[in-house]
Amino acid sequence: MGEWQPLRRSSQRFQEIDLLRASAIVFMVIFHAVYDLHEFAGAAVDYRAPFWFILGKTSALLFILLSGLSSGLSTSPVRRGLNVLLYGMGVTLVTYLVMKEEYVRFGILHFLGTAMILSPFFRRLSSRLLGVITVLIAFLGFWFKTLTVQTSFLLPLGLMYEGFSSIDYYPLFPYLAVTIIGILIYRHFYAQGTGINWRLPGWVQWLSRNSLGIYLIHQPILLLLLYLSKHL
């Protein structure tokens, strides 16, 4: 207990974090463009192929890792988490109206919002205990995938009912393990305010700072472009 120390604030931005977050949002936009081309335009490209699958999963894992790391850089992770969770609920509503059975119950935004809310608790635990919890969460998450339950209320934990399907599903188990790894990275490499002094292009920093907004609007824009390409 008590190992976490707040960051010494300065005007410095951690350029490598901006680069990773910008990369994550670019990867996600590319993956969703491929998904849309397959599902809505009938293009002969399979988003489930290994390359595209890995690209999409890498994007999500980067966002999850960075959410844990960035929790140490934020003065209000709970408030930010509630905001992200609210956006996730909006995604649930929209996808329910459009996609019915495969709508998003607990997607990446639901996960990130919940992880941000939980991060102050995790930050107060010792590194050794966090390591044990990480292994336990990962083990339980993979075990839960072998089980089925009779209720949808346990979906956030990774326990699915028979026939469950969703276009976006990131349960707390096992993905909280990645969040905690991010917290540990912050603690051991960033808590003293050190980082790699890179000079990134302005557009990379812009992508990083606006990644949430880009995530929220990129799908409607992609679908609009597909619609215009088919009807013009």
Side-chain angles (χ1 to χ4, degrees):
M1 298 287 287
E3 283 195 10
W4 175 76
Q5 296 293 328
L7 178 70
R8 296 173 185 174
R9 299 286 170 182
S10 72
S11 59
Q12 177 187 13
R13 285 185 64 87
F14 296 115
Q15 302 295 298
E16 63 274 23
I17 296 177
D18 280 336
L19 179 61
L20 289 173
R21 188 179 289 114
S23 299
I25 194 63
V26 170
F27 293 166
M28 183 162 287
V29 170
I30 293 172
F31 175 77
H32 285 163
V34 172
Y35 175 90
D36 293 344
L37 284 170
H38 181 276
E39 292 293 322
F40 302 110
V45 56
D46 188 358
Y47 63 90
R48 293 161 296 194
F51 176 81
W52 299 116
F53 175 82
I54 291 172
L55 187 74
K57 190 63 70 174
T58 298
S59 170
L61 291 176
L62 278 175
F63 277 125
I64 293 171
L65 182 74
L66 292 172
S67 74
L69 197 163
S70 299
S71 68
L73 307 174
S74 174
T75 58
S76 53
V78 174
R79 179 176 60 80
R80 291 179 64 244
L82 289 171
N83 287 337
V84 173
L85 192 57
L86 183 62
Y87 287 127
M89 297 300 182
V91 170
T92 294
L93 177 60
V94 171
T95 55
Y96 176 76
L97 294 174
V98 174
M99 306 198 74
K100 299 300 181 183
E101 292 302 321
E102 293 194 330
Y103 75 95
V104 177
R105 280 82 151 178
F106 201 84
I108 188 69
L109 291 184
H110 301 79
F111 173 86
L112 291 175
T114 304
M116 290 176 191
I117 293 168
L118 294 174
S119 64
F121 165 74
F122 289 124
R123 286 188 339 209
R124 285 166 173 77
L125 303 180
S126 70
S127 295
R128 181 173 298 179
L129 182 54
L130 285 179
V132 173
I133 292 173
T134 298
V135 173
L136 181 62
I137 288 174
F139 172 79
L140 288 175
F142 289 111
W143 179 46
F144 287 171
K145 288 184 177 181
T146 68
L147 307 176
T148 55
V149 295
Q150 302 301 314
T151 176
S152 62
F153 292 109
L154 298 178
L155 284 174
L157 300 180
L159 288 162
M160 295 173 281
Y161 57 86
E162 184 143 4
F164 168 72
S165 179
S166 177
I167 59 170
D168 187 30
Y169 182 49
Y170 283 88
L172 298 176
F173 295 81
Y175 291 104
L176 264 180
V178 183
T179 299
I180 296 174
I181 291 172
I183 292 173
L184 290 170
I185 291 173
Y186 164 79
R187 178 176 293 174
H188 293 287
F189 294 100
Y190 291 92
Q192 301 306 315
T194 58
I196 302 173
N197 188 22
W198 290 352
R199 176 72 64 179
L200 290 176
W203 63 268
V204 174
Q205 295 187 27
W206 183 88
L207 286 173
S208 174
R209 294 170 182 172
N210 295 279
S211 56
L212 177 59
I214 295 169
Y215 179 87
L216 292 172
I217 68 170
H218 79 279
Q219 271 289 50
I221 291 175
L222 289 173
L223 293 174
L224 176 61
L225 291 175
L226 279 179
Y227 177 83
L228 292 175
S229 69
K230 291 173 65 175
H231 292 84
L232 291 181

